Structures are given as structure tokens and as C-alpha cells.
């Protein structure tokens, strides 16, 4: 195990500022991510890593360096530096999720994690917070590495949806009751921006509107909560 040089650390600090690489500091997330990312190197304070890294280059460093490069307050002594593998977009062959300009990384991470749990085969991030956002990755508990994720602009998605006749159902407080709605074929669930809802461009493509009935004068739920409820309701027969 080679000692990390000052030049190497300086270069990593620069790349972190530029947000050109992933810096993963959670051991469980690193283990789940390894098959799905292009690992550049691993930095560690420990003598023996808690997982097999094959021929990946491992550098020994100190706790201060790990803390400086990590995104959490209390990193676990292991830092994985990697590139996220961008996936070529493809037409989903089952249920899928469309996130329309969501900006809260916690919401997006939660929805990606739920999409995996509900066997939704793909997630389209349309002008959303980037999938490499550290908080997004943590809130998904690494599920971003086990899902097909396509980052697209709104213009790109609209063209793709029209070209491939994607079946879309938007989440809307005035929509049909999700608990009485039956789906015979796969569907794409659209969750809109936290403040503005589903955009006009994507609303026009959505043939169905879905809502969650609520009491107590509550009109809407957090985007991560509402999207998760709707996905579970659609998938529940296959989860029992």
C-alpha cells in the first residue's frame, strides 16, 4: 500500500472543487457501488480494507486528509474516488419514474431508492439535481448504483417521450384516487418540482393524473413521500 503524495492530495482537492469525481466515504455504499462505477483509487487510514478491491490502487493517508475530502462529518476511514458511469438512455420495458425538475437531493435520493424497492426499471432525472450529489447518494443509501438513471434536459425528455410514446401518469392533487386506480400495463409516474409541481410541457404528455386522498386539510405531501406512496400502490401486488 503506497503512501498518498502531497501532489496527489492537492489534485484530488482540485477535482472535488470542480465536482468532476465522486468521493464516497460510507463503507456500505462503497461496497454496493464498486461494480457500477469507474474507481480511480481508494484512500484509507486502515491497514486492511473491509472489502475486496481487486487491482484497484489503494493509498494510505491520514484521518485529516480523509475528513478534508469526505462529504460527511464523521467518515469511516475509507474514501473511494471514482467516476459515475453515465448510462445510454433506453425505452423502459416496465414501470418507470420521471422526476421533473426536483432540486432537493434528499427527495430525489429517496425516490430513487423507492423505485428500486418497487421494481421500477428506470428513473429519468429531467433537469433535476445531479445524480452525483453527495446528499442524493447518501439518501438513496447507494440505490443510485443499482438503478438505470438517465439525466436529461426537459427538451430532450419531451422529444424522447413523444418519439417512443411513453405512457405517463402525473402526480396531481386534482387527479384520480391512486387507491382505486388499476393499471393493466406499465406506466411512468411523473413527480413534479417541490414548489411548482409537474411542468406544463410534461403535463401535456401525461394522459393520467393521480392523487393521494388526505384528511386534516392537508393538500399535498412531500415529493419524496407522495411519489413513494404511489409507486408502492402500483407495485404492491408484485411485492406481496
Amino acid at each position: 500500500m503506497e503512501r498518498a503524495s502531497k501532489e496527489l492530495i492537492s489534485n484530488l482537492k482540485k477535482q472535488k472543487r470542480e465536482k468532476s469525481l465522486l468521493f464516497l466515504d460510507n463503507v456500505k455504499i462503497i461496497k454496493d457501488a464498486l461494480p457500477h462505477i469507474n474507481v480511480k483509487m481508494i484512500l484509507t487510514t486502515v491497514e486492511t480494507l473491509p472489502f475486496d478491491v481487486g487491482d484497484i490502487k489503494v493509498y494510505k493517508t491520514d484521518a485529516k486528509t480523509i475528513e478534508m475530502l469526505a462529504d460527511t462529518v464523521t467518515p469511516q476511514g475509507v474514501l473511494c474516488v471514482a467516476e459515475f458511469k453515465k448510462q445510454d438512455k433506453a425505452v423502459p420495458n416496465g414501470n418507470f419514474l420521471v422526476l421533473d425538475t426536483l432540486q432537493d437531493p434528499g427527495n430525489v435520493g429517496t425516490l430513487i431508492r423507492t423505485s428500486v424497492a418497487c421494481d421500477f426499471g428506470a428513473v429519468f432525472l429531467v433537469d433535476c439535481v445531479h445524480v452525483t450529489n453527495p446528499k442524493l447518494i447518501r439518501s438513496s443509501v447507494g440505490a443510485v448504483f443499482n438503478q438505470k438513471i438517465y439525466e436529461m434536459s426537459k427538451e430532450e425528455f419531451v422529444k424522447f417521450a413523444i418519439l417512443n410514446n411513453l405512457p405517463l401518469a402525473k402526480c396531481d392533487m386534482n387527479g384520480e384516487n391512486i387507491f382505486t386506480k388499476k393499471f393493466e400495463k406499465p406506466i411512468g409516474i411523473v413527480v413534479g418540482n417541490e414548489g411548482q409541481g409537474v411542468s406544463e410541457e410534461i403535463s401535456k404528455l401525461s394522459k393520467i393524473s393521480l392523487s393521494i386522498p388526505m384528511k386534516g386539510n392537508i393538500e399535498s405531501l412531500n415529493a419524496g413521500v407522495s411519489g413513494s406512496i404511489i409507486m408502492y400502490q402500483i407495485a404492491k401486488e408484485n411485492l406481496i
Side-chain angles (χ1 to χ4, degrees):
M1 189 183 297
E2 186 179 338
R3 189 79 184 177
S5 66
K6 291 182 178 179
E7 182 181 359
L8 175 64
I9 300 302
S10 177
N11 187 46
L12 289 175
K13 287 168 63 179
K14 179 176 182 292
Q15 290 175 307
K16 183 173 177 62
R17 288 195 300 271
E18 295 172 348
K19 299 181 179 179
S20 57
L21 292 173
L22 290 172
F23 289 80
L24 306 177
D25 54 53
N26 179 283
V27 170
K28 179 185 183 306
I29 290 177
I30 293 172
K31 289 172 67 175
D32 292 343
L34 283 176
H36 309 285
I37 55 179
N38 295 318
V39 180
K40 296 296 185 181
M41 68 190 75
I42 290 177
L43 278 67
T44 183
T45 61
V46 300
E47 293 296 332
T48 304
L49 290 171
F51 47 78
D52 180 36
V53 295
D55 58 358
I56 295 172
K57 190 71 174 179
V58 179
Y59 292 96
K60 187 74 180 292
T61 189
D62 53 54
K64 186 176 180 181
T65 298
I66 296 285
E67 290 172 5
M68 177 179 59
L69 293 171
D71 291 299
T72 56
V73 178
T74 55
Q76 300 173 355
V78 180
L79 186 76
C80 177
V81 182
E83 290 179 331
F84 191 85
K85 292 180 181 178
K86 188 173 181 179
Q87 303 179 60
D88 294 329
K89 59 181 177 290
V91 178
N93 57 11
N95 293 325
F96 60 97
L97 180 66
V98 179
L99 304 185
D100 181 7
T101 64
L102 267 70
Q103 298 305 311
D104 186 302
N107 280 336
V108 176
T110 295
L111 287 163
I112 290 173
R113 186 182 185 191
T114 305
S115 75
V116 174
C118 294
D119 198 29
F120 274 53
V123 177
F124 291 86
L125 299 185
V126 183
D127 286 338
C128 290
V129 58
H130 290 303
V131 69
T132 54
N133 181 284
K135 184 177 178 181
L136 186 158
I137 292 172
R138 290 197 301 274
S139 63
S140 80
V141 197
V144 292
F145 305 113
N146 297 313
Q147 179 61 287
K148 295 176 182 176
I149 297 176
Y150 310 123
E151 292 190 292
M152 307 170 72
S153 69
K154 192 171 298 180
E155 182 180 0
E156 288 174 326
F157 177 77
V158 168
K159 288 180 179 178
F160 183 78
I162 293 173
L163 178 64
N164 295 286
N165 195 28
L166 296 185
L168 302 179
K170 67 177 180 179
C171 298
D172 186 283
M173 59 184 292
N174 296 313
E176 299 178 63
N177 186 336
I178 180 60
F179 299 111
T180 60
K181 183 71 176 176
K182 300 294 183 181
F183 293 94
E184 301 292 332
K185 298 179 181 179
I187 191 74
I189 298 302
V190 182
V191 179
N193 176 269
E194 292 88 350
Q196 304 300 319
V198 178
S199 63
E200 182 179 351
E201 298 93 326
I202 297 180
S203 285
K204 290 178 180 178
L205 302 178
S206 304
K207 297 179 180 179
I208 301 170
S209 294
L210 300 172
S211 68
I212 300 169
M214 289 173 277
K215 293 185 176 181
N217 295 319
I218 302 297
E219 293 184 350
S220 63
L221 298 173
N222 168 278
V225 173
S226 58
S228 295
I229 290 172
I230 287 175
M231 280 190 283
Y232 267 110
Q233 177 63 18
I234 290 172
K236 67 178 184 179
E237 291 183 3
N238 295 322
L239 299 176
I240 299 173

